[in-house]
Amino acid sequence: MKTKTSILEPLSAVDNLNLYTQMVRMRRIEERAEQLFRENRTVGRVYTGRGQEAISVGAAYALNPDDGLAPLYREMGAHLVRGVTPREIFCQYMGRKNSATQGRDSGLHIGDPHRHLVSMISSLTASLPVAVGMGLSYQIRGQQRVAMTFLGDGATSTGSAHEGLNFAATRKIPVVFVCSNNQWSLSTPSHQQHGLARLAGRGTGYGMASVQVDGNDVRAVYYAAAEAVVRARHGKGPTFIEAVTMRMAGHSVTDPAVYIPKTMTQQWQEKDPLHCFQTQLCAEGLLTAEKIEQIELEIREEIDDAVRFAEESPLMPTDELTTGVFAEFHGSTNAKN
Amino acid sequence: MKTKTSILEPLSAVDNLNLYTQMVRMRRIEERAEQLFRENRTVGRVYTGRGQEAISVGAAYALNPDDGLAPLYREMGAHLVRGVTPREIFCQYMGRKNSATQGRDSGLHIGDPHRHLVSMISSLTASLPVAVGMGLSYQIRGQQRVAMTFLGDGATSTGSAHEGLNFAATRKIPVVFVCSNNQWSLSTPSHQQHGLARLAGRGTGYGMASVQVDGNDVRAVYYAAAEAVVRARHGKGPTFIEAVTMRMAGHSVTDPAVYIPKTMTQQWQEKDPLHCFQTQLCAEGLLTAEKIEQIELEIREEIDDAVRFAEESPLMPTDELTTGVFAEFHGSTNAKN
Amino acid sequence: MRKISYREAIRETLWEAMEADERVFTLGQDIEYGGVYGITRGFYDRFGPNRVINTTLAETAITGAAMGAALEGLRPIAEIQFADFITPAMDQIVNMIGKYHYRTHIPVPLVIRTPAGAIVTAHGSTGPLHSQSPEAWFAHAPGLKIVVPSNAFDAKGLLFTAIDDPNPVLFFEQKRLYNDKMDVPGGRYGIPFGQLRVARTGLDLTVVTYGSMVPVVLNAVQQIAAHGIETEVLDLRTLVPLDRQGIIKSVQKTGKVLIVHEANRTCGFGAEVAALISEYAFEYLDAPIRRLTPPDIPVPSARHLAEAYLPNVNDVIQAIQQLNRY
Amino acid sequence: MRKISYREAIRETLWEAMEADERVFTLGQDIEYGGVYGITRGFYDRFGPNRVINTTLAETAITGAAMGAALEGLRPIAEIQFADFITPAMDQIVNMIGKYHYRTHIPVPLVIRTPAGAIVTAHGSTGPLHSQSPEAWFAHAPGLKIVVPSNAFDAKGLLFTAIDDPNPVLFFEQKRLYNDKMDVPGGRYGIPFGQLRVARTGLDLTVVTYGSMVPVVLNAVQQIAAHGIETEVLDLRTLVPLDRQGIIKSVQKTGKVLIVHEANRTCGFGAEVAALISEYAFEYLDAPIRRLTPPDIPVPSARHLAEAYLPNVNDVIQAIQQLNRY
Ligand SMILES: Cc1ncc(C[n+]2csc(CCOP(=O)(O)OP(=O)(O)O)c2C)c(N)n1
Ligand SMILES: Cc1ncc(C[n+]2csc(CCOP(=O)(O)OP(=O)(O)O)c2C)c(N)n1
Ligand SMILES: [Mg+2]
Ligand SMILES: [Mg+2]
């Protein structure tokens, strides 16, 4: 899949198909991961971004491959756009070698320096100030690069999110903050996390550009992100994007989410970002039933291959248990003692 | 000094004189404390609120005696309004018994449960969420009480301030946040702490009432605080007050503040809150040269007495060094083992 | 007597404390619907929104607010969703809450409950950020009492005491014991802090342990008793205050010590216990003081790694046998 | 050779490292004007706003940003204004930074410098919140190297190594040593981590210490040498990695150990040293392992209390004499 040539032009037909395909990949990979969890074949719980595919894919699509990226646990799409392969992903889910953490950590905690990808930790939002530091490093060296990081509505309450957001705003550090407001943080509704009518107002409170966007509309998300990326790249500082959506599953695969009113989920079901985008693309003549089938087929094969590959990949040997706490260091020059 | 009868009425002549007197007391007490520091007679450094007397006094004057109060190190005026006596204050400065921390801690770290006064710690802004908790306790019990806490422009950057502000905004907890924007945090100018044109915008970013006020105008501060207190008392939630002022001294008594442009200090000198208020009160016929003299004299005597009292107060005996880490506990009822 | 689980014992104690004393309330993330381990299930319906308070995702706000409410006369019980997430509140807990009474002589009666330690299931462990045992940090911070109950009976009695205590108490619930059942009396009882429990008596050697490792150790010493090794097992119950005399007394009797805990080795609480014994029971020691702990690495997720990481019954048996042979 | 102060040695090392390597930059509160202890005075004029970065008042932002910059190829040196204010960054440091390499095999080369410990002057001590020595917490958190230099020569050599090391290093500067002068070579030299310094050799007993207490101990053992007691003094230099062999070797020779540090007693690093010795040098011990530390209380402000709190030369002499008599 080739990435977009210029962020300043409207999305082409190819872009639209790319976006669609990545969203389908995200949905199908996560469905398979859930299934593997139920079969006791994963390491760790599985958390999905079901219903939030448009945010994850659309926002990341606005980045260059050398931009910094610090996603959270529901941002499968951002990983896919950055080029993380299903093989790596399933090795990671299944705790195998050939993955980022090889069973030492689990889930989407994938880091890769070559992809400028930060491995999140569960502690929210420890990776947000890290993304700000990536942006700072670009600013220091005068590089026209940008960092993007994601946070949930609940995560906006943490001190670490604040410290990162405020530091970025103060120095106009090139960062794009994508806040997936999916109405819930675990069992807690958004109105118990903040006192704002629109969470986008939080960004304004830091003096940074701030925008609310329909998080179920991948193109709206993309254009908002593209604008933010251009702004950051040109030294105009960070942006806070509130992408409004809904968490269409439990907090994790084991959570039946009894606390969410059924009607709420039903209403949002009609706004399913994948379905909506599919309908639009068909109406626009960019997608056909045939093409849809073909995409699904290719993805299924890709996933089958990845799961097989993961299953054939070795576990980390137990005798490596205590290795790698530190990076190896071969000593300073001119050591005196 | 009697406190205000109704917060809903305009400030009376007596109120005006009260405010003036407290501001003079604050200025003179801090001057004496600085002098004692230079004579090596204090424990710890001395930090003053020089130039910020209107904020400290004006804001606290809007509270009832049973409202919660969590001041920081420049809020001498708030302590005086709450009834903390110069004797206690100088015992505290000089590390003696008859004070809040008796030499275990120093400076304005004065706590008193009977006065609903929280003892700050140096770590910024650890006492802010504590003030929110006081407000929470009033809310829980349906009491019409309010908590007030102070923070500097620099302190708005901390994670703890954020967590407290946001929690208060979310639950409409009755708290008044008074932000003394004195343009500097230690050597760091305000524009290196936030990216806002007006720091009051921060409060808006939490969805709470937010107002900017001239921090050198004690009556303006009072009315803003009074409005906020009434709002909080009636369940309408917290307020963020940005009181704009200038730190008219070094960060502490040992800091020559070479980093502050001389012209800046000179310009603000003309807005000295004490001098301005004095001039206004004289013009309004509420104050005369004679009365000014008399107030100064009484305060001088009060301070002389307090310093003498402190000097005669014992130090904490060294054999008490390790006592009091824990409050005594006489055991649960029905202990089984 | 009824058999109830460790989880149920904690739940029941909270419930009874809230029934008995209007000042007691609880706050934390997601506790309205019952919390991730179900400790407060049903509380919201019974006690309502003013005593069961869903907070924002903000550990400093939770602990700071608890302190403010405590200063104004309430008895807050704060929940930190996982012990791993106590770090964002570190400043508030060690500097504000822990030092307050020493600085001011004003009591801060509050309890911070948090589920600690690893669970290992078919999906591996709870991983590097939902499995930690950080209690030793707080022992190195004056002014905080530290409780780590090893069974349902103790959990109940120690939690009652924690709620009564006028000081801040950190209450580290052991996730892997949540479902362990035992006889627990109904009604209120307190277990005093600073008194260890001799979980088994023996003359050959002493195992000092606490929390999640107590059942592991008891299982091991029971097996090993068949080989004629009689092990005394000390369950510390509270790390601060620590029952120094109780430890010394046992070592004076047995002369050999094994320390077992789930927390990382270096500067874990076992180091303090070893230091204490090597200073105050030196003359009675017949063998080196051994520590059996996980290595100094994060808790790995994959099952085989997590199992290699955690001390298990065989590890304990081996360590005891070695020590016995010494 | 020039005599320069501990402060100047640190300043010079930072300066030289920034001159030598464009990737090295520094960030922290108030460092533009030189920082509260003047370590970065003149840096802003020389290196400009892109390499000397005044941050917001936000320790998580500082340390988190340092990590992000490190991941993208820079070599950040972060300053935490006082070691007491490292707690607001606890989560970032122990969970994000410390565990990163183990989880991902990606190095995080950064240094966090911070002034630790108490100073006592005519105005009393630096008080409960500007005097702490929190290094032991981080030894109980895998993945962080910990340096506590006791003199200007070591400060320079260890700081160079810290900057070169591909791992996160916590560098605890000892405030009370800032003005202590000694011979320090110009130019670059590194002192390897994990090698203690035998600050004095002796046969009668071993004092294990580090940081601010090293000069106090050396002063004491010098005085006591007049009474014929020959003390070996080990300056640990780095707590992680720890020179276990160096400690054991000395204890095997002397058979008696006193541990001295400025941090609080319980679960301080001395506990780990005692545990280590009681496990691996048990057979060589001729006496209980003693720890000389402040009590488990916050650092009091008033001069007489602070002086009673801190271990001093007389305390060390007494402890050594007692141990010698054992
Ligand atoms: C510091 C911290 N405290 C608590 C948690 C436990 N926790 C994990 S996810 C979550 C809810 C997050 O909600 P939100 O940020 O809205 O993200 P979402 O799950 O909705 O995508 C909580 C409370 C955590 N991970 N980190
Ligand atoms: C967590 C923390 N970090 C750093 C410091 C050191 N420090 C003390 S005061 C101060 C500046 C505070 O500025 P501001 O909040 O504007 O208050 P002001 O001094 O101007 O009244 C700093 C950085 C601290 N006290 N706490
Ligand atoms: Mg959410
Ligand atoms: Mg200020």
Side-chain angles (χ1 to χ4, degrees):
Chain A
M1 238 171 286
K2 96 184 206 336
T3 38
K4 220 182 132 34
T5 40
S6 169
I7 204 174
L8 301 170
E9 286 162 30
L11 290 162
S12 68
V14 174
D15 292 323
N16 275 293
L17 274 185
N18 278 350
L19 290 171
Y20 173 75
T21 308
Q22 296 291 30
M23 288 170 68
V24 181
R25 283 173 95 210
M26 171 167 172
R27 176 77 56 95
R28 301 298 167 243
I29 289 173
E30 293 191 334
E31 284 169 348
R32 184 68 67 91
E34 287 194 316
Q35 186 192 320
L36 291 172
F37 176 88
R38 292 210 183 79
E39 296 164 7
N40 288 344
R41 289 159 74 194
T42 66
V43 164
R45 286 230 180 84
V46 169
Y47 302 80
T48 73
R50 189 173 190 96
Q52 307 178 198
E53 292 88 349
I55 302 170
S56 190
V57 169
Y61 201 71
L63 295 176
N64 291 339
D66 69 342
D67 287 328
L69 183 59
L72 291 186
Y73 46 106
R74 305 205 194 279
E75 312 308 340
M76 174 67 77
H79 289 80
L80 295 173
V81 171
R82 183 47 59 98
V84 180
T85 65
R87 283 185 166 202
E88 291 170 81
I89 289 166
F90 282 100
C91 284
Q92 173 70 12
Y93 273 129
M94 298 169 83
R96 308 295 166 131
K97 288 264 181 183
N98 304 317
S99 73
T101 72
Q102 308 180 40
R104 289 180 165 189
D105 200 349
S106 70
L108 268 196
H109 299 199
I110 296 176
D112 182 349
H114 307 295
R115 290 186 181 117
H116 309 282
L117 187 60
V118 177
S119 165
M120 69 164 285
I121 55 169
S122 308
S123 201
L124 294 170
T125 44
S127 50
L128 187 145
V130 176
V132 174
M134 295 173 109
L136 178 67
S137 81
Y138 311 149
Q139 191 183 58
I140 286 175
R141 287 175 290 191
Q143 298 168 335
Q144 286 211 324
R145 294 161 68 191
V146 171
M148 178 180 282
T149 188
F150 293 78
L151 69 164
D153 49 319
T156 59
S157 299
T158 66
S160 55
H162 170 72
E163 294 198 2
L165 282 156
N166 184 54
F167 185 47
T170 304
R171 278 190 67 93
K172 292 195 178 302
I173 295 173
V175 193
V176 179
F177 300 97
V178 182
C179 176
S180 306
N181 183 355
N182 64 5
Q183 320 291 325
W184 297 90
S185 50
L186 223 166
S187 74
T188 305
S190 242
H191 67 84
Q192 288 187 357
Q193 287 289 354
H194 63 85
L196 285 157
R198 294 160 66 252
L199 191 42
R202 179 60 51 77
T204 315
Y206 294 113
M208 67 172 74
S210 200
V211 55
Q212 191 186 57
V213 67
D214 177 353
N216 283 25
D217 179 344
V218 66
R219 292 189 283 207
V221 173
Y222 168 77
Y223 285 117
E227 204 181 314
V229 165
V230 170
R231 185 179 296 125
R233 235 188 260 301
H234 293 92
K236 305 239 169 68
T239 301
F240 184 91
I241 300 174
E242 179 200 0
V244 182
T245 184
M246 172 70 187
R247 199 187 76 206
M248 293 301 286
H251 175 66
S252 78
V253 56
T254 57
D255 171 21
V258 288
Y259 44 81
I260 297 185
K262 279 231 173 54
T263 51
M264 189 174 181
T265 312
Q266 276 155 7
Q267 274 160 21
W268 279 90
Q269 188 55 51
E270 283 155 37
K271 300 187 223 170
D272 179 75
L274 194 52
H275 183 77
C276 291
F277 192 39
Q278 193 185 76
T279 311
Q280 281 162 17
L281 290 181
C282 288
E284 290 165 19
L286 295 171
L287 198 61
T288 59
E290 216 171 26
K291 180 77 185 159
I292 292 171
E293 249 329 290
Q294 186 202 332
I295 290 171
E296 293 282 356
L297 195 74
E298 280 170 17
I299 290 172
R300 198 171 322 129
E301 282 173 6
E302 191 186 27
I303 293 174
D304 287 343
D305 164 75
V307 173
R308 218 178 304 118
F309 177 78
E311 218 138 36
E312 287 164 7
S313 294
L315 294 172
M316 175 177 277
T318 305
D319 58 19
E320 286 179 30
L321 176 70
T322 59
T323 64
V325 174
F326 292 107
E328 273 184 54
F329 177 38
H330 304 289
S332 290
T333 36
N334 311 322
K336 295 200 184 184
N337 200 359
Chain B
M1 237 171 286
K2 96 183 208 336
T3 39
K4 222 183 131 29
T5 38
S6 168
I7 205 173
L8 301 171
E9 286 162 30
L11 289 162
S12 68
V14 174
D15 291 324
N16 275 294
L17 273 185
N18 278 351
L19 290 171
Y20 174 75
T21 307
Q22 295 290 29
M23 287 169 70
V24 182
R25 283 172 95 210
M26 170 166 172
R27 176 77 54 96
R28 301 297 168 242
I29 288 174
E30 293 191 333
E31 284 169 349
R32 183 68 68 93
E34 286 195 316
Q35 187 192 322
L36 291 171
F37 176 87
R38 294 212 180 78
E39 296 164 5
N40 289 345
R41 288 158 74 193
T42 65
V43 163
R45 286 230 180 85
V46 169
Y47 302 78
T48 72
R50 190 172 189 96
Q52 306 178 200
E53 293 88 350
I55 302 170
S56 190
V57 169
Y61 201 71
L63 295 175
N64 292 339
D66 70 341
D67 286 329
L69 183 59
L72 292 186
Y73 46 106
R74 304 203 194 281
E75 312 307 339
M76 175 66 76
H79 290 80
L80 295 173
V81 171
R82 184 49 58 101
V84 180
T85 67
R87 284 185 166 202
E88 291 170 81
I89 289 166
F90 282 99
C91 284
Q92 172 71 10
Y93 272 129
M94 298 168 81
R96 308 293 166 131
K97 289 262 180 184
N98 304 317
S99 73
T101 71
Q102 308 180 41
R104 288 179 165 190
D105 199 349
S106 70
L108 268 196
H109 300 198
I110 296 176
D112 182 349
H114 306 295
R115 291 186 182 115
H116 309 282
L117 187 60
V118 177
S119 166
M120 69 164 285
I121 56 169
S122 307
S123 202
L124 292 169
T125 44
S127 50
L128 187 144
V130 176
V132 173
M134 295 173 109
L136 178 67
S137 81
Y138 311 148
Q139 191 183 56
I140 286 175
R141 287 175 291 189
Q143 297 169 337
Q144 287 211 323
R145 294 161 69 192
V146 171
M148 178 180 282
T149 188
F150 293 78
L151 71 163
D153 49 318
T156 59
S157 299
T158 65
S160 55
H162 170 73
E163 295 197 2
L165 281 155
N166 184 54
F167 185 46
T170 304
R171 279 189 67 92
K172 291 197 179 302
I173 295 172
V175 193
V176 179
F177 300 96
V178 182
C179 177
S180 306
N181 183 356
N182 64 3
Q183 319 293 324
W184 297 90
S185 51
L186 222 167
S187 74
T188 304
S190 243
H191 66 83
Q192 288 187 356
Q193 288 290 354
H194 62 87
L196 286 157
R198 295 159 68 252
L199 191 41
R202 180 61 50 77
T204 315
Y206 294 112
M208 69 172 74
S210 199
V211 56
Q212 191 186 58
V213 68
D214 178 354
N216 283 26
D217 179 344
V218 66
R219 292 190 283 206
V221 173
Y222 168 77
Y223 285 117
E227 203 180 315
V229 165
V230 170
R231 184 179 297 125
R233 236 188 260 299
H234 293 92
K236 305 239 170 68
T239 302
F240 185 90
I241 300 175
E242 179 200 0
V244 182
T245 185
M246 170 71 188
R247 199 189 75 206
M248 294 301 287
H251 175 65
S252 80
V253 56
T254 56
D255 171 22
V258 288
Y259 45 80
I260 299 186
K262 280 229 172 58
T263 50
M264 188 174 182
T265 312
Q266 275 156 9
Q267 274 161 21
W268 279 91
Q269 188 54 51
E270 282 155 37
K271 301 187 222 170
D272 179 75
L274 195 51
H275 182 77
C276 291
F277 193 38
Q278 194 185 73
T279 310
Q280 281 164 16
L281 290 181
C282 287
E284 291 166 17
L286 295 171
L287 199 60
T288 61
E290 217 172 25
K291 180 78 183 157
I292 292 172
E293 249 328 289
Q294 187 202 332
I295 290 171
E296 293 283 356
L297 195 73
E298 281 171 16
I299 289 172
R300 198 171 323 131
E301 282 173 5
E302 191 186 26
I303 293 173
D304 287 344
D305 163 76
V307 173
R308 217 178 305 118
F309 177 79
E311 218 139 36
E312 287 163 6
S313 294
L315 295 171
M316 174 175 278
T318 305
D319 59 16
E320 285 180 29
L321 177 69
T322 59
T323 63
V325 173
F326 291 107
E328 273 183 53
F329 177 39
H330 304 288
S332 289
T333 37
N334 310 323
K336 294 201 185 185
N337 201 358
Chain C
M1 217 183 285
R2 327 148 304 152
K3 275 203 191 311
I4 63 172
S5 69
Y6 185 95
R7 181 200 317 268
E8 182 56 26
I10 292 166
R11 189 181 177 285
E12 174 175 288
T13 311
L14 286 181
W15 185 283
E16 288 174 8
M18 287 179 68
E19 288 284 2
D21 185 347
E22 279 240 314
R23 298 171 308 165
V24 180
F25 75 103
T26 178
L27 73 169
Q29 293 154 21
D30 302 296
I31 63 171
E32 239 184 69
Y33 97 113
V36 291
Y37 287 103
I39 300 286
T40 56
R41 202 164 291 158
F43 279 51
Y44 184 80
D45 289 343
R46 168 68 189 88
F47 300 105
N50 277 325
R51 296 181 67 203
V52 181
I53 293 175
N54 252 13
T55 63
T56 52
L57 204 172
E59 287 75 13
T60 291
I62 294 170
T63 48
M67 167 154 176
L71 289 179
E72 287 293 32
L74 297 183
R75 292 283 184 153
I77 302 175
E79 175 175 300
I80 299 291
Q81 201 162 73
F82 287 88
D84 310 70
F85 305 139
I86 206 163
T87 41
M90 193 76 182
D91 188 54
Q92 189 64 227
I93 295 173
V94 307
N95 286 328
M96 191 71 191
I97 295 173
K99 297 183 171 59
Y100 206 70
H101 191 269
Y102 183 77
R103 296 192 306 110
T104 66
H105 269 83
I106 303 168
V108 185
L110 60 84
V111 179
I112 298 173
R113 292 179 38 245
T114 187
I119 316 187
V120 184
T121 67
H123 292 99
S125 85
T126 27
L129 258 298
H130 289 78
S131 304
Q132 292 175 79
S133 300
E135 58 276 358
W137 285 339
F138 301 97
H140 191 51
L144 301 164
K145 298 199 175 178
I146 302 177
V147 184
V148 195
S150 73
N151 62 67
F153 178 89
D154 281 9
K156 183 167 181 181
L158 291 166
L159 185 51
F160 264 126
T161 305
I163 296 169
D164 282 353
D165 197 297
N167 294 288
V169 179
L170 302 183
F171 192 86
F172 290 99
E173 301 173 7
Q174 308 287 282
K175 290 205 259 316
R176 87 190 232 179
L177 306 181
Y178 270 145
N179 296 330
D180 288 8
K181 293 194 173 183
M182 74 183 290
D183 286 344
V184 176
R188 182 189 186 73
Y189 61 94
I191 296 176
F193 287 179
Q195 296 189 10
L196 61 74
R197 182 174 70 98
V198 181
R200 185 184 173 110
T201 54
L203 286 170
D204 295 329
L205 52 84
T206 300
V207 180
V208 182
T209 187
Y210 61 90
S212 65
M213 286 294 123
V214 173
V216 175
V217 168
L218 286 174
N219 185 335
V221 302
Q222 198 166 342
Q223 291 188 34
I224 217 168
H227 304 277
I229 306 177
E230 285 305 335
T231 311
E232 183 139 308
V233 179
L234 309 185
D235 174 358
L236 294 179
R237 281 178 166 165
T238 63
L239 309 188
V240 179
L242 179 65
D243 187 352
R244 294 191 167 77
Q245 280 319 310
I247 297 171
I248 303 297
K249 226 173 61 188
S250 175
V251 176
Q252 288 175 342
K253 188 171 70 170
T254 64
K256 292 182 177 181
V257 190
L258 172 68
I259 300 163
V260 185
H261 59 61
E262 186 180 331
N264 287 121
R265 183 180 187 81
T266 296
C267 285
F269 199 77
E272 181 60 30
V273 173
L276 191 79
I277 294 170
S278 66
E279 180 153 14
Y280 297 108
F282 174 74
E283 310 215 331
Y284 298 88
L285 280 175
D286 300 324
I289 302 172
R290 297 281 182 220
R291 283 182 291 168
L292 177 63
T293 69
D296 287 327
I297 62 173
V299 185
S301 293
R303 185 170 190 161
H304 64 296
L305 300 177
E307 283 171 348
Y309 171 89
L310 291 166
N312 61 28
V313 173
N314 280 335
D315 298 331
V316 177
I317 291 178
Q318 267 185 28
I320 291 178
Q321 283 174 332
Q322 259 186 16
L323 205 51
N324 189 56
R325 276 196 300 273
Y326 186 89
Chain D
M1 219 183 284
R2 325 148 307 154
K3 276 204 191 309
I4 63 171
S5 69
Y6 184 97
R7 179 199 319 264
E8 181 56 27
I10 292 166
R11 190 182 174 284
E12 174 175 288
T13 311
L14 285 181
W15 186 282
E16 289 174 7
M18 286 178 69
E19 287 284 3
D21 186 346
E22 279 240 313
R23 298 171 307 165
V24 179
F25 76 103
T26 177
L27 73 169
Q29 291 155 23
D30 302 296
I31 64 171
E32 239 183 68
Y33 99 112
V36 291
Y37 287 103
I39 300 285
T40 56
R41 203 164 289 158
F43 279 52
Y44 185 80
D45 290 345
R46 169 68 188 90
F47 300 105
N50 277 325
R51 296 182 65 203
V52 181
I53 293 175
N54 252 14
T55 63
T56 52
L57 206 173
E59 286 75 14
T60 291
I62 294 171
T63 49
M67 167 154 175
L71 289 179
E72 286 294 33
L74 297 184
R75 291 283 184 153
I77 302 176
E79 175 176 300
I80 298 291
Q81 201 160 75
F82 287 87
D84 310 70
F85 306 139
I86 207 163
T87 39
M90 193 76 181
D91 187 54
Q92 189 64 228
I93 295 172
V94 308
N95 286 328
M96 190 70 190
I97 294 173
K99 297 183 172 62
Y100 206 70
H101 191 269
Y102 184 77
R103 295 193 306 111
T104 66
H105 269 84
I106 303 167
V108 186
L110 60 83
V111 179
I112 299 172
R113 293 179 37 246
T114 188
I119 315 187
V120 184
T121 67
H123 292 98
S125 86
T126 26
L129 259 297
H130 289 79
S131 304
Q132 293 174 79
S133 300
E135 58 276 358
W137 286 338
F138 301 97
H140 191 51
L144 302 164
K145 298 198 174 178
I146 303 178
V147 184
V148 195
S150 74
N151 62 67
F153 178 89
D154 282 9
K156 183 167 179 179
L158 292 166
L159 185 51
F160 264 126
T161 306
I163 297 169
D164 282 353
D165 197 297
N167 294 288
V169 179
L170 302 183
F171 193 85
F172 290 98
E173 300 173 8
Q174 307 286 284
K175 291 205 258 317
R176 87 193 234 178
L177 306 181
Y178 270 145
N179 296 329
D180 288 8
K181 292 194 172 182
M182 74 182 293
D183 287 343
V184 176
R188 182 189 186 74
Y189 61 94
I191 296 176
F193 287 179
Q195 296 188 11
L196 60 75
R197 183 175 69 98
V198 180
R200 186 184 174 110
T201 53
L203 287 169
D204 294 329
L205 52 85
T206 300
V207 179
V208 183
T209 185
Y210 62 90
S212 66
M213 286 294 125
V214 173
V216 174
V217 168
L218 286 175
N219 185 336
V221 301
Q222 198 166 342
Q223 291 187 36
I224 217 167
H227 304 276
I229 306 178
E230 284 305 333
T231 312
E232 183 139 308
V233 179
L234 309 185
D235 174 357
L236 295 178
R237 281 177 167 166
T238 62
L239 308 189
V240 178
L242 180 64
D243 187 353
R244 295 190 166 76
Q245 281 318 312
I247 298 172
I248 301 299
K249 224 173 63 187
S250 176
V251 176
Q252 287 176 340
K253 187 172 68 170
T254 65
K256 292 182 176 181
V257 191
L258 172 69
I259 300 163
V260 185
H261 59 60
E262 186 180 330
N264 288 119
R265 184 181 188 81
T266 296
C267 285
F269 199 76
E272 180 59 31
V273 173
L276 191 79
I277 295 170
S278 67
E279 180 152 13
Y280 296 108
F282 174 73
E283 310 215 333
Y284 299 87
L285 281 175
D286 299 324
I289 302 172
R290 296 281 182 221
R291 282 182 291 169
L292 176 63
T293 69
D296 286 327
I297 62 173
V299 185
S301 293
R303 185 171 188 159
H304 66 296
L305 299 178
E307 284 172 347
Y309 171 88
L310 291 165
N312 61 26
V313 173
N314 280 338
D315 298 332
V316 177
I317 291 178
Q318 268 185 27
I320 291 178
Q321 283 175 331
Q322 260 186 15
L323 204 51
N324 189 56
R325 275 198 300 274
Y326 187 90

